[in-house]
Amino acid sequence: MKGIPQQAEVKANTKVKVSNLANTRKRSDYFWAYLMIAPTMLGLMIFYLWPILQTFYYSFTEWGAFGQYEWTGLDNYKRMFEDSNLIKSFKNTGIYIIFTVPIGIFLSILVAVLLNQKIKGKSVYRTLYFLPVITMPAAIAMVWKWLYNSDYGLLNYLLSLIGIKGPQWVSDPKIALYSLIAVAIWSGIGYNMVIFLSGLQGIPRTYYEAAEMDGAGPIRVFFKITLPLLSPVIFFVSIMSLIGAFQVFDLIFMMIGKSSTALENTQSIVYLFYQHAFVLNDKGYAAAIAVLLLIVILIITAIQFVLQKKWVHYD
Amino acid sequence: MERARQLVTSKTFLIHFILILGSVAMVVPFLWMILTSLKTYAESIHVPPVIFPDKFQWGNYKEIFELLPFFKFMLNTLIITIVRTVGQVFLCSLAAYAFARIEFPGRNFLFLLALAVLMVPGQVFLLPQYMIMVKLGWLNTLQAVIVPGLFSAFGTFLLRQFFMGLPKELEEAARLDGCNHFQIYWKIMLPLAKPGLVALGIFTTLWSWNELMWPMIVNSSPESMTLSVGLSSLQGQYLTNYPILMAGSFLAILPMLVLFIILQKQFIEGIAVTGGK
């Protein structure tokens, strides 16, 4: 008879012990978790999250010559509407995006589809197309400026062979932006091609075999099978390309001279941001440009997410 | 049968034709860079162009080092790239492990905070980051480029995906053996997440080596300049001497080129992995 309460006692004890154990385990979990995320979270807060708030704050201020600033309310934002340079930079960036994103995606899908066939030398092609991806934009800009050189450049020489007098690729205000666009497309194909290629390889062979049995030609197969099944990847790439294109800076900075007549027709939103922030010491206005850029990118990304329902197929 | 075979060969021919055309467009700028870098100035502006220089002008490469502290630039870029890459992969993997494998109060909120950084274009951080560097007195030091680059929302997000995909049994067994979370992370999880670590490492290396705007903003003295910034300054000073400019450009891209040739598979898989998910 005495044994039973003892047993119960033991049970109760183990229960306490187990829950104690669970508690210590939990406490140790929390300890390690916070310790492990601490460096990254602190770093992100100091160098990234807090700066977001600060940029918002700065966008309502005006800066003096010695780094002092004062609150000026919405002045910077009002100023934007009258700033023809800013309006122009939006137009330039818009043209840049409209050309680089769709053409870049089209060409990289084309290359990826061709590389996904049964052909020899795949890895050689892949390597060559990928070269610009690993190359420093400053060096890319430099070599293209040389190829584009109107007097001694290779491009105009090749054109002269077929009797065309080549233009001034980077100094003619009407052409310069399109010359930059060509370089941007050239340097981006390899990156997107690799993503599309891995997307294509994820499409099960059986789909193609079934289509072949039905006697569908390659064009039909591409539009009825490849494109719909690749659409989630196309959506991802288009979002990333668009965000990247919005932030174009390096190419313009390196290829278009600071006093070039083509600058007005090529400078992007980020170029203008850089000018105001670090050359003209007009940091309040620069912050307002950065905020505007953030808002525009968020809106356009949101629109893409809404539109995707119409064309992206998820199984 | 014969017709079918002909169709296949003409199809293969067309594919190769298009791919070769594209390859030429990809490679010619690089070949032209190398060829120009070995020409005399007179050869470089000769019309019609001289394709192969009469004599390879290796002196152009020597001249780069005399015109600019090019060696210093390379060293700076190398140090920045290595510290950023190692540091970022380590810190991101630590945080990613905790976010993926441990339950703790505030986990979702903190992870959302990190994700918020991912949504914001880089220019939004730049001004305040610059002000921080001014306050710390870090302008024209290597740590001005290194320290903000140690923390990455993208890297944390990427590696968290990797850690989430690993089986739960592994760590249960390790915990029964009395391992703490750091030991599990270090001994079990890290080796398994290697493809993710390599992918992030490659990304960070490429990014650090090639970046222009931030190093240009914080480091304008030759002592702490990176290659990208050095190249852009070279352009201002020696605007028309293309053999010199091309020699500098080629030297600047050479290390990444060599790395790419050695680690080709990892580069391409790394990008496919981050893009496909």
Side-chain angles (χ1 to χ4, degrees), chain A residues 47-60:
Chain A
F47 290 105
Y48 296 88
L49 288 162
W50 180 238
I52 298 176
L53 299 179
Q54 262 185 315
T55 291
F56 270 96
Y57 176 72
Y58 287 161
S59 76
F60 299 109

Side-chain angles (χ1 to χ4, degrees), chain A residues 116 118 196-213 221-222 224-233 313-315:
Chain A
N116 201 34
K118 282 181 208 134
F196 284 129
L197 202 54
S198 92
L200 286 173
Q201 280 155 359
I203 299 176
R205 282 264 147 232
T206 46
Y207 283 95
Y208 290 109
E209 282 157 15
E212 219 167 277
M213 299 266 263
V221 168
F222 178 76
K224 291 286 167 199
I225 296 178
T226 311
L227 219 49
L229 288 172
L230 200 60
S231 59
V233 185
H313 299 253
Y314 298 100
D315 325 292

